[in-house]
Amino acid sequence: MNRDWVEKDFYKVLGVAPESTADEIKKSYRKLAQKHHPDANPDDKTAEEKFKEISEAYATLSNAEKRKEYDEVRRLVATGGFGGAGGPGGGFGGFGGQQVRVEDLGDLLGGFGDLFGFGGPGQRTGPTKGADHETELTIGFEDAANGLTTSINVRGAAVCSHCDGSGAEPGTNVTTCPTCGGRGVVAQNQGFFSFSQPCPQCGGRGQLIEVPCTKCKGSGSETRTRNIKLRVPAGVHDGSVLRLREKGGPGTNGGPAGDLLVRIRVASSRVFGRKGNNLTLNVPITFSEAALGTKLEVPTLNGGVKLKIPAGTPSGKTFRVRGRGVQPENGRPGDLMVTVQVDVPTKLSKEEKDLLKQLDQENHDDIRQHLKG
């Protein structure tokens, strides 16, 4: 919300009545937007400004909550809800013709104190938290499962290493701004209203720097590469985001630093797959092992385990080894899911072929006998 709500009639901009329905507002907006769209009016600054005005009006009136607040503001301005605009004395009658500071209206309007984009009395532009930064870290499959402590290099805005973020040359003074009294904002008169804006002398800091830092030129920050340690917890998934508090961009006017968001990328494994906290593993076995049964030693993330394959195991059967999957720091350990695949040989000796033919004939006779009952 901003001062345009006081100065502009959005209904007039869209050519609709205040009591118009949402569909009527949308229909009018689409017609006007098509007419004044920059693509339809290349190099026409007037059409471009008109399109922006139409878009601003529609953005407010198409939102039921914003439209309700906008209507209330327009009603108060038009009917004297602020004390009678145009009343006795040519000012706001309820205030004796005195100028009204927008930031002083908070209590009167039930929370509209920031209606025009400004806060209440005494607000200043600082301290302000720094921006959050983002980066990526690629780790191995086993590191993701077991966790690790590592470090990353992050290049970007950081607290100035020379002045420690004060913006002043070490050993020099920082004084309170005489123009704004340390508030960081000054009043700007706009008719019946007084709006706050950043102090032109101190730039909203509320303080004056006697001698700017020779390294950061008074900004309090510099661009450099930082080496940041971090701990990746066990069981982290690909795409997980770790938030490192106050390791992001530097704050201003004494505000805290932003956060560093580290997106984890997990490399694939040549041995295991992963579904949640369960590990998956495909193990080839011979036809005779599937038919007669066997014992296998299968790998896990922490050594091998014995797995019994019973006689007559079909290809594709999955066995569960409990508790041998990923073990997260918080949560239940996963399992190891072992799927056996019968390896069919492509080259056989004459003796092997004869044995298989004999076995196949016996199985064939058994099946036929079973069908006959």
Side-chain angles (χ1 to χ4, degrees):
M1 295 181 286
N2 51 57
R3 71 183 67 183
D4 285 348
W5 286 25
V6 175
E7 299 172 353
K8 295 181 180 180
D9 186 342
F10 288 158
Y11 291 104
K12 186 176 180 180
V13 170
L14 294 179
V16 296
E19 62 272 14
S20 299
T21 65
D23 287 339
E24 290 172 337
I25 291 174
K26 181 187 293 186
K27 183 178 180 180
S28 180
Y29 163 73
R30 288 180 174 176
K31 182 179 179 180
L32 291 172
Q34 185 177 14
K35 177 181 178 181
H36 297 284
H37 196 282
D39 291 344
N41 303 273
D43 301 324
D44 188 339
K45 294 296 183 182
T46 302
E48 182 179 347
E49 292 301 319
K50 184 65 176 178
F51 180 77
K52 291 180 180 179
E53 188 178 25
I54 293 168
S55 299
E56 179 188 16
Y58 183 69
T60 298
L61 299 185
S62 62
N63 184 299
E65 184 176 345
K66 287 185 178 180
R67 182 182 180 183
K68 181 179 179 181
E69 294 177 357
Y70 171 77
D71 287 344
E72 178 65 12
V73 172
R74 297 293 299 177
R75 184 187 69 79
L76 292 173
V77 172
T79 63
F82 290 147
F92 285 80
F95 293 97
Q98 297 180 356
Q99 188 179 60
V100 180
R101 295 183 62 207
V102 170
E103 53 265 56
D104 291 334
L105 299 176
D107 294 336
L108 296 176
L109 296 179
F112 280 6
D114 63 346
L115 180 62
F116 305 98
F118 303 97
Q123 180 187 5
R124 50 181 295 179
T125 58
T128 304
K129 182 181 178 181
D132 290 345
H133 288 175
E134 296 184 10
T135 189
E136 288 191 354
L137 173 65
T138 300
I139 60 177
F141 187 90
E142 292 190 4
D143 287 334
N146 298 324
L148 81 158
T149 298
T150 185
S151 62
I152 54 175
N153 290 326
V154 178
R155 183 167 182 79
V159 172
C160 177
S161 56
H162 185 59
C163 68
D164 199 26
S166 69
E169 185 69 14
T172 62
N173 295 324
V174 178
T175 59
T176 300
C177 176
T179 300
C180 65
R183 293 174 63 245
V185 293
V186 293
Q188 179 187 27
N189 297 332
Q190 294 286 333
F192 293 115
F193 295 97
S194 174
F195 296 92
S196 292
Q197 66 177 8
C199 175
Q201 184 173 2
C202 66
R205 296 177 67 98
Q207 297 177 325
L208 295 178
I209 298 174
E210 183 179 281
V211 181
C213 171
T214 55
K215 188 168 188 178
C216 68
K217 311 304 180 185
S219 67
S221 66
E222 62 177 334
T223 300
R224 58 187 169 91
T225 300
R226 295 174 294 149
N227 184 264
I228 300 174
K229 291 184 178 180
L230 76 156
R231 181 173 175 273
V232 180
V236 69
H237 290 268
D238 181 66
S240 298
V241 177
L242 304 182
R243 180 180 291 272
L244 306 184
R245 301 290 181 183
E246 298 189 12
K247 296 296 184 181
T252 56
N253 301 334
D259 300 334
L260 177 63
L261 307 179
V262 183
R263 187 174 299 277
I264 303 298
R265 296 301 182 189
V266 180
S268 59
S269 170
R270 292 182 298 175
V271 178
F272 301 104
R274 181 174 175 181
K275 293 182 179 180
N277 287 330
N278 290 337
L279 292 178
T280 61
L281 175 66
N282 291 324
V283 176
I285 59 174
T286 64
F287 173 79
S288 58
E289 287 175 329
L292 302 175
T294 187
K295 287 185 178 181
L296 301 175
E297 182 170 334
V298 296
T300 73
L301 291 174
N302 301 294
V305 294
K306 294 291 185 179
L307 178 65
K308 181 179 180 181
I309 306 298
T313 295
S315 182
K317 182 176 178 58
T318 299
F319 297 89
R320 182 187 297 270
V321 184
R322 297 192 179 278
R324 299 309 294 263
V326 176
Q327 300 187 30
E329 293 186 6
N330 297 310
R332 182 179 177 181
D335 301 328
L336 175 63
M337 310 299 292
V338 182
T339 300
V340 294
Q341 301 289 345
V342 177
D343 186 21
V344 179
T346 57
K347 293 183 179 181
L348 296 172
S349 64
K350 182 178 182 305
E351 292 77 8
E352 290 172 333
K353 290 181 180 180
D354 291 340
L355 288 172
L356 287 176
K357 288 179 181 179
Q358 182 181 351
L359 177 62
D360 179 65
Q361 184 61 45
E362 292 177 358
N363 289 337
H364 185 272
D365 292 342
D366 289 341
I367 292 173
R368 291 292 181 268
Q369 188 64 36
H370 175 75
L371 292 175
K372 291 179 180 179

